[in-house]
Amino acid sequence: MEYSEHFAYRDGRLYCEDLPVSKLADDYGTPLYIYSRAAFEQAYRDYDDNLRLDHMICYSVKTNSNLAVLQLMASLGSGFDIVSGGELARVVEAGGDAGRVVYSGVGKRDDEIAYALDLGIYCFNVESEAELEAISRVAAAKGKAAPVAFRVNPDVDPHTHHHIATGLKTSKFGVPVDEALRLYEKAAHLEGIRVRGLDCHIGSQLTTLAPFEEMAEKIIPLAQELKSRYGIEFVDVGGGLGINYANDGAPNAGEYAKLLNRRFADLGLKLVLEPGRSIAGNSGVLAARVTYLKRTARDFAVVDAGMNDMIRPALYSAWMNIDVAERRPADEKKLFSVVGPICESGDKLGEDRELAVKAGDVLVQFSAGAYGFSMSSNYNSRPRAAEIMVDKDRAFVIRQRETVSDLWRGERLLEL
Ligand code: LLP
């Protein structure tokens, strides 16, 4: 299975753009996150070029928050969807425009609200009445008016993994659609608040367009109402478009854009989007080297990347494709569980994979550009992987591999 022209096999060798992945693994060590600049750019343009409405694409920072990725997005004109003060600081550090930032999340603290107000973000996506009051209090104390949108929960089933379905009635996110009018009325009269838009996000890794149609159906009448009552300027439809990990049949950004063009054309409001996975997911891979082959009741390929580097298979039972960086057609394939070195039985990159592999080979986990490095940790005291960005035949280290002394940075011994 091949994902894009930017990660493709030529004569049995996997290339990222013009560089062989096995050579990158030799040069920079493993585990190694490898991103393609062209893939990021193309994924952004697939949205931007196909949207026929006034729009602002706010790349979802949580997906892959490396400064170079944010810098690249900003250079394409992207805004940003953030969920913490830390993410906002990253956007600023990378040269992004705070005026094109939307701030989501159910637990914004006063200090984070104040920081975002000082930087003049585009909008707060408010997730509760209590948060509205906090924003009002913090903004009024500064003599400012905070731009707000409520994140409404349209109660659409996105048919995705329950950990990432966020638009159901029972979810902690957003406010119920039927409470929205009361909250907007309250907001419109609250000190320090300026009603600016309407927001929603129904979930992630959506592989059909039907839930988006349903979401549009539910929020457009509300958006019309809010436009006439309070003069809102935009509707934010969140992120969520899925990608092909296997042959999931996920629609592409162009197809999704057509739906948005059709549904939102008559509304006369700016459209804000918060895509993450569909921009970063297939723009990166994780390369790992096989440390040992091991046989018990089954065959294992033990690699040097673990759940601390890529937690998606362990956390969501996510299936991500794994293949060799160098194909040797003569070798016989066997079924392997590809596992890491971490002391947890959940520590796997993939199960039952048909591979021709031996110790020392480089394996590649595809679709790792989203929610890979950004969810990584130092569990088992493992320094985090290096990240590189390939641009044609050049590679740039965009995050150095951590060293062991990085592991205890900030820790102190007791005076015993
Ligand atoms: N906007 C909001 C408010 C979100 O909560 C999210 C993702 C996005 C945008 C971006 O969604 P995307 O376009 O990437 O689907 N760690 C999980 C995914 C968690 C998604 C959280 N919210 C995974 O690895 O599958």
Side-chain angles (χ1 to χ4, degrees):
M1 171 148 174
E2 296 192 359
Y3 289 89
S4 72
E5 59 190 288
H6 311 294
F7 291 96
Y9 285 89
R10 292 183 215 160
D11 298 326
R13 297 186 99 183
L14 180 67
Y15 279 74
C16 174
E17 300 197 19
D18 297 331
L19 294 175
V21 165
S22 53
K23 168 94 167 56
L24 293 168
D26 290 345
D27 291 352
Y28 297 97
T30 48
L32 181 68
Y33 275 97
I34 302 169
Y35 308 122
S36 153
R37 174 178 176 175
F40 269 104
E41 291 182 342
Q42 189 181 321
Y44 179 85
R45 294 209 171 101
D46 282 348
Y47 277 99
D48 203 29
D49 293 349
N50 286 299
L51 285 163
R52 300 270 170 266
L53 310 157
D54 179 20
H55 65 272
M56 176 164 78
I57 299 166
C58 291
Y59 166 71
S60 187
V61 173
K62 65 174 85 68
T63 315
N64 183 328
S65 35
N66 185 287
L67 290 183
V69 169
L70 304 184
Q71 175 197 24
L72 186 58
M73 286 295 117
S75 77
L76 296 169
S78 187
F80 298 93
D81 159 53
I82 62 157
V83 290
S84 70
E87 287 191 346
L88 181 51
R90 277 188 175 276
V91 168
V92 172
E93 184 67 18
D97 176 3
R100 296 169 71 75
V101 164
V102 292
Y103 187 177
S104 313
V106 296
K108 304 176 187 77
R109 294 188 313 254
D110 280 11
D111 62 301
E112 294 176 303
I113 294 168
Y115 176 48
L117 276 170
D118 289 342
L119 288 178
I121 65 164
Y122 183 75
C123 200
F124 290 88
N125 289 338
V126 179
E127 308 227 15
S128 64
E129 191 163 356
E131 180 192 329
L132 175 72
E133 285 163 7
I135 295 174
S136 161
R137 175 170 43 73
V138 176
K142 287 180 176 289
K144 294 195 173 183
V148 303
F150 280 98
R151 173 170 174 180
V152 299
N153 207 331
D155 196 25
V156 170
D157 186 349
H159 303 292
T160 184
H161 192 279
H162 64 276
H163 281 175
I164 50 181
T166 49
L168 292 170
K169 230 191 263 178
T170 49
S171 123
K172 74 170 176 175
F173 297 100
V175 302
V177 145
D178 48 18
E179 275 188 40
L181 284 179
R182 178 183 69 77
L183 291 170
Y184 272 96
E185 185 58 20
K186 172 166 175 172
H189 296 100
L190 215 52
E191 205 190 349
I193 297 290
R194 172 163 74 99
V195 169
R196 190 164 195 186
L198 171 63
D199 172 47
C200 87
H201 169 82
I202 54 176
S204 197
Q205 184 52 14
L206 274 64
T207 52
T208 65
L209 293 178
F212 290 116
E213 295 273 10
E214 205 184 320
M215 178 246 306
E217 224 156 86
K218 291 198 172 167
I219 64 163
I220 286 173
L222 178 60
Q224 265 156 346
E225 183 72 29
L226 296 171
K227 187 183 172 198
S228 68
R229 285 199 200 185
Y230 309 110
I232 64 165
E233 297 162 41
F234 74 90
V235 180
D236 180 342
V237 292
L241 181 65
I243 60 169
N244 290 312
Y245 284 99
N247 296 314
D248 306 278
N252 60 36
E255 292 168 284
Y256 179 39
K258 268 192 206 140
L259 181 159
L260 296 171
N261 292 338
R262 173 167 47 79
R263 287 276 184 177
F264 288 87
D266 298 333
L267 195 55
L269 293 176
K270 185 204 268 294
L271 200 65
V272 174
L273 291 89
E274 304 172 356
R277 191 189 317 263
S278 52
I279 292 197
N282 281 328
S283 301
V285 300
L286 173 60
R289 202 175 285 278
V290 179
T291 316
Y292 303 108
L293 295 186
K294 167 169 179 171
R295 181 169 200 149
T296 59
R298 58 209 295 194
D299 283 297
F300 292 96
V302 183
V303 299
D304 61 4
M307 64 191 279
N308 73 299
D309 300 296
M310 167 51 81
I311 202 172
R312 302 193 68 258
L315 191 58
Y316 315 116
S317 307
W319 191 94
M320 300 170 73
N321 191 28
I322 298 173
D323 207 339
V324 289
E326 303 266 347
R327 287 179 178 154
R328 288 183 305 266
D331 290 8
E332 202 191 322
K333 289 187 174 177
K334 269 203 303 198
L335 276 190
F336 285 98
S337 277
V338 181
V339 300
I342 290 194
C343 298
E344 302 245 0
S345 357
D347 178 31
K348 56 172 184 222
L349 296 189
E351 279 175 310
D352 296 334
R353 302 309 169 90
E354 222 187 348
L355 295 165
V357 69
K358 57 181 179 33
D361 285 353
V362 174
L363 284 181
V364 179
Q365 186 179 44
F366 287 82
S367 315
Y371 306 110
F373 189 91
S374 66
M375 294 181 82
S376 69
S377 76
N378 292 122
Y379 187 41
N380 276 205
S381 285
R382 289 167 46 79
R384 279 184 293 172
E387 294 177 283
I388 61 172
M389 178 77 76
V390 172
D391 184 6
K392 301 187 184 77
D393 59 355
R394 295 189 301 166
F396 299 88
V397 177
I398 59 170
R399 195 179 207 274
Q400 288 177 350
R401 183 175 304 288
E402 288 180 347
T403 64
V404 284
S405 59
D406 290 329
L407 292 174
W408 50 78
R409 191 162 64 92
E411 293 180 30
R412 293 286 178 275
L413 293 172
L414 296 174
E415 286 177 28
L416 297 178

